[in-house]
């Protein structure tokens, strides 16, 4: 089959989802009000609460939720064949992710921009809130610790990406000043920023910077991890308009240009899907497609981490409530487009089926490597761009997204500690610097305490990320559903996705539980049990709350 067919069907379906389905959800279910006073105005402080142009905010939201996950997950899941991954990405984006992301922003905005974890206490109950906050903390801990390893690994393997990755920070700082001091119009700033970013990408291969294998007794990988956390500490404390917003915005533009390049190359090259639609000859040890597909592909279909960004940073910057549809739902569409590109690159970016099969010789292989190599192959054959340059372009794209997600993730982890300070009356923990140091300290403790001198400790608990993350998405949909019931609005548009997601996630947790036990991995076995217990208790709490509200509504109607 031609990759062009999947490209047209995929993008066409997502466009239909945005222009038709999201409009229905915004107007009939969430009933977005253009006159509602958002928390960005009510609590404006110039640091976290900043009314923001919806295009800039879309860039922040999209690149924060995207990261490397919509590349890694789909590029691993095609081991089962391209059709299951394609269907889950398209249907998940339209009916799951868009509603989930927009709903989390709406729920937070309507409740003083509180995080979805803190909001659970008001909507469901204090016990559910405590368990929910534990799940949230685990997800953020995994994301921050692992994405540092991913970025460090990319910079060790692709020295040509170092200058563009770090140069993008300087570009973002300049753009932030130009936008918020109104020196230049947004379109002009956008053009200059993109040109500067691509100039750095072009410069990268000419000025490769390679970290030594060992620095002061530490591996080069570990040094990069420390540098990344040092940077993220500063970034999480800066006002959002100074670095976070402009960096995310320019990265969002860069992604769309990268997607246009990749999609354009597909149209010109017209590659065939060398991978099978369904792979009936998966490598030994590959888990079953159901339920593992639905936790392997999270970002790009639906992801609980999105709810944390939506209710953590995005809701504090929303200028008008009606911007929820563009920022939240269209942000999910952008991520679905990236996941679609990852599927096409990882299945049509090989010269033959044998080459593809060699890449996917075991479950867990593929990922960013398949995306970069497959995408570079397509761009080289479609546009004539040298494969090394194309590989640098795609590597920088993946690194920048992972970096922006890490920036936002650490800020969100700081919010979690501050919310714990508020909940438990710990005044010192409410302050930015102590909360940030606790967030960074917990990540470093996992990275180096569990992983040793190379700082890769986050990878130890990463096998649980997919299930924990999807559990978080299901619980977020539960909170949104309870809010809709309380407001006497239709709930099936959130209830149906959450039921499907909870069933698949619990099934995946049980599957992993058996695998960890058989492998004798008792640490992950223990964590799996903790997450499973939290899932059951929060689900029961939410179900009881839902039942109570529906009973009260029925009594009022009598």
């Amino acid at each position: 089959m031609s990759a062009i067919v999947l490209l047209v069907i995929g993008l066409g379906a997502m466009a239909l989802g945005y222009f038709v389905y999201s409009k229905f959800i915004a107007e009939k279910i969430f009933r977005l009000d253009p006159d509602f006073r958002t928390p960005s105005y009510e609590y404006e402080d110039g640091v976290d609460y900043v009314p923001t142009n919806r295009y800039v905010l879309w860039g922040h939201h999209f690149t924060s939720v995207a990261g490397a996950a919509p590349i890694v997950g789909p590029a691993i899941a095609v081991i089962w064949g391209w059709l299951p991954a394609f269907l889950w990405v398209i249907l998940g984006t339209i009916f799951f992710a868009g509603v989930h992301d927009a709903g989390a922003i709406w729920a937070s905005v309507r409740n003083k921009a509180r995080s979805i974890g803190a909001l659970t206490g008001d909507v469901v109950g204090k016990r559910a809130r405590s368990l929910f906050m534990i799940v949230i903390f685990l997800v953020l801990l995994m994301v921050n610790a692992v994405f540092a390893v991913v970025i460090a690994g990319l910079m060790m393997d692709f020295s040509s990406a170092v200058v563009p990755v770090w140069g993008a920070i300087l570009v973002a700082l300049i753009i932030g000043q130009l936008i918020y001091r109104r020196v230049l119009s947004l379109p002009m700033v956008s053009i200059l920023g993109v040109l500067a970013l691509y100039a750095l990408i072009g410069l990268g291969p000419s000025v490769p910077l390679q970290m030594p294998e060992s620095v002061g007794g530490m591996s080069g990988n570990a040094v990069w991890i420390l540098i990344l956390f040092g940077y993220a500490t500063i970034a999480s404390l800066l006002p959002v308009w100074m670095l976070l917003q402009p960096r995310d915005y320019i990265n969002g533009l860069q992604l769309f240009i990268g997607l246009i390049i990749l999609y354009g190359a597909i149209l010109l090259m017209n590659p065939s899907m060398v991978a099978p639609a369904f792979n009936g000859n998966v490598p030994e040890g590959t888990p079953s497609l159901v339920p593992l597909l639905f936790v392997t592909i999270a970002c790009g279909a639906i992801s609980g981490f999105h709810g944390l960004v939506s209710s953590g940073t995005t809701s504090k910057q929303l200028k008008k409530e009606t911007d929820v549809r563009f920022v939240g739902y269209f942000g999910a569409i952008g991520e679905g487009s990236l996941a679609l590109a990852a599927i096409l690159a990882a299945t049509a970016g090989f010269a033959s089926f044998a080459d593809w099969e060699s890449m996917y010789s075991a479950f867990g292989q593929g990922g960013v490597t398949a995306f970069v190599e497959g995408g570079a192959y397509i761009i080289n054959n479609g546009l004539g761009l040298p494969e090394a340059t194309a590989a640098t372009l795609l590597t920088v794209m993946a690194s920048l997204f992972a970096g922006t997600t890490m920036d936002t993730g650490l800020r969100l982890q700081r919010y979690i500690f501050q919310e714990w300070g508020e909940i438990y009356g710990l005044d010192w923990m409410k302050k930015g610097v102590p909360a940030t140091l606790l967030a960074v300290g917990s990540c470093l403790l996992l990275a180096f305490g569990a992983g040793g001198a190379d700082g890769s400790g986050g990878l130890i608990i990463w096998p649980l990320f997919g299930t924990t993350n999807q559990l978080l998405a299901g619980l977020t949909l539960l909170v949104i559903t309870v809010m809709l019931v309380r407001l006497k609005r239709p709930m099936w548009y959130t209830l149906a996705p959450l039921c499907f997601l909870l069933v698949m996630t619990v099934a995946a947790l049980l599957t992993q539980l058996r695998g960890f036990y058989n492998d004798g991995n008792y640490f992950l076995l223990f964590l799996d049990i903790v997450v499973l217990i939290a899932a059951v208790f929060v689900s029961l709490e939410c179900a009881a709350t839902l039942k109570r509200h529906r009973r009260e509504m029925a009594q009022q109607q009598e």
Side-chain angles (χ1 to χ4, degrees):
M1 176 183 282
S2 169
I4 293 178
V5 175
L6 291 185
L7 176 60
V8 172
I9 292 174
L11 293 183
M14 286 190 278
L16 195 64
Y18 178 71
F19 288 111
V20 178
Y21 191 65
S22 76
K23 184 178 181 182
F24 167 76
I25 294 294
E27 294 178 355
K28 304 299 182 183
I29 308 302
F30 297 145
R31 300 178 191 176
L32 304 179
D33 181 3
D35 298 320
F36 180 77
R37 182 176 171 80
T38 60
S40 68
Y41 283 109
E42 189 173 353
Y43 305 107
E44 186 173 359
D45 60 5
V47 178
D48 295 319
Y49 294 86
V50 179
T52 304
N53 176 289
R54 70 175 189 157
Y55 297 103
V56 176
L57 183 56
W58 177 88
H60 154 70
H61 176 80
F62 165 57
T63 53
S64 294
V65 301
I71 295 172
V72 175
I76 289 175
V78 293
I79 196 168
W80 289 298
W82 57 260
L83 186 57
F86 175 79
L87 291 175
W88 174 228
V89 163
I90 302 305
L91 296 176
T93 296
I94 297 170
F95 297 108
F96 288 68
V99 177
H100 169 275
D101 294 13
I105 300 174
W106 166 74
S108 179
V109 164
R110 283 285 170 166
N111 290 274
K112 302 179 180 180
R114 299 176 69 190
S115 76
I116 201 71
L119 183 58
T120 306
D122 295 335
V123 176
V124 182
K126 293 182 178 180
R127 286 180 299 184
R129 179 190 64 191
S130 299
L131 291 170
F132 207 165
M133 296 284 271
I134 292 172
V135 175
I136 290 172
F137 181 77
L138 280 174
V139 168
L140 289 173
L141 190 64
M142 292 181 203
V143 167
N144 292 332
V146 171
F147 274 34
V149 176
V150 170
I151 301 168
L154 286 171
M155 287 192 290
M156 288 295 291
D157 295 338
F158 299 93
S159 57
S160 61
V162 175
V163 168
V165 167
W166 291 100
I169 297 171
L170 178 60
V171 172
L173 287 168
I174 296 172
I175 287 175
Q177 296 296 323
L178 293 177
I179 292 175
Y180 286 92
R181 298 191 187 281
R182 306 184 192 281
V183 177
L184 296 172
S185 65
L186 184 60
M188 182 57 69
V189 170
S190 302
I191 293 170
L192 292 175
V194 168
L195 289 175
L197 198 57
Y198 276 91
L200 288 169
I201 292 174
L203 180 65
S206 303
V207 191
L209 295 180
Q210 183 68 55
M211 179 73 72
E213 290 294 329
S214 178
V215 179
M218 298 181 67
S219 69
N221 197 73
V223 173
W224 273 129
I225 291 173
L226 289 174
I227 293 173
L228 285 164
F229 273 113
Y231 154 75
T233 300
I234 298 170
S236 69
L237 290 169
L238 290 176
V240 289
W241 64 265
M242 188 176 290
L243 178 59
L244 192 66
Q245 280 182 0
R247 185 181 182 195
D248 292 352
Y249 173 66
I250 205 66
N251 283 346
L253 294 178
Q254 181 254 156
L255 167 75
F256 266 95
I257 293 172
L259 285 178
I260 289 170
I261 292 172
L262 183 55
Y263 286 155
I266 289 173
L267 292 173
L268 292 172
M269 179 187 174
N270 190 20
S272 297
M273 307 293 289
V274 299
F278 286 97
N279 188 9
N281 187 32
V282 295
E284 185 179 352
T286 301
S288 61
L289 186 152
V290 178
L292 266 296
L293 171 71
F294 303 101
V295 297
T296 301
I297 300 180
C299 294
I302 182 172
S303 166
F305 180 73
H306 293 197
L308 302 184
V309 176
S310 297
S311 64
T313 58
T314 304
S315 63
K316 294 176 175 63
Q317 303 167 61
L318 197 77
K319 200 171 186 178
K320 295 173 64 176
E321 191 178 61
T322 46
D323 290 344
V324 163
R325 180 187 172 208
F326 180 79
V327 174
Y329 197 101
F330 192 60
I333 294 292
E335 191 177 54
S337 321
L338 179 57
L340 176 60
I343 291 172
L344 296 178
T347 53
F350 296 87
S352 66
F353 173 70
D355 291 335
W356 179 83
E357 202 170 34
S358 175
M359 172 65 73
Y360 289 90
S361 58
F363 181 70
Q365 293 187 355
V368 174
T369 302
F371 171 73
V372 171
E373 292 185 3
Y377 174 83
I378 291 172
I379 292 172
N380 172 251
N381 285 274
L383 299 176
L385 198 67
E387 281 200 50
T389 304
T392 299
L393 170 69
L394 296 175
T395 301
V396 170
M397 190 165 72
S399 299
L400 290 179
F401 285 144
T404 53
T405 300
M406 186 179 169
D407 286 359
T408 302
L410 198 60
R411 188 177 287 260
L412 290 171
Q413 205 166 355
R414 186 246 291 177
Y415 290 163
I416 292 295
F417 278 108
Q418 287 179 306
E419 286 179 348
W420 274 337
E422 186 175 340
I423 291 170
Y424 299 110
L426 302 173
D427 292 337
W428 63 273
M429 197 184 288
K430 299 179 187 177
K431 299 176 182 178
V433 174
T436 299
L437 293 177
L438 285 173
V440 174
S442 61
C443 292
L444 290 176
L445 183 62
L446 173 62
F448 291 94
D454 66 350
S456 61
L459 297 175
I460 293 175
I461 63 173
W462 186 249
L464 276 174
F465 173 75
T467 46
T468 308
N469 185 48
Q470 296 303 69
L471 167 64
L472 183 57
L475 298 181
T476 299
L477 285 170
L478 271 172
V479 172
I480 297 169
T481 301
V482 172
M483 282 187 63
L484 290 173
V485 171
R486 291 172 64 175
L487 293 169
K488 301 179 181 179
R489 297 180 189 174
M491 65 176 182
W492 296 107
Y493 303 96
T494 54
L495 184 61
L498 85 83
C499 289
F500 176 84
L501 202 60
L502 283 179
V503 168
M504 289 300 166
T505 303
V506 170
L509 279 167
L510 292 172
T511 300
Q512 287 184 317
L513 197 69
R514 184 173 62 250
F516 295 147
Y517 177 78
N518 292 336
D519 295 341
N521 194 332
Y522 297 112
F523 176 64
L524 287 182
L525 179 70
F526 169 75
L527 286 181
D528 194 308
I529 293 172
V530 170
V531 174
L532 189 59
I533 291 172
V536 171
F537 273 99
V538 175
S539 298
L540 290 174
E541 288 279 347
C542 288
T545 303
L546 197 61
K547 185 177 180 181
R548 184 175 67 252
H549 283 301
R550 296 198 69 184
R551 185 171 60 247
E552 291 172 356
M553 287 173 56
Q555 290 173 351
Q556 291 173 3
Q557 292 173 356
E558 292 177 353

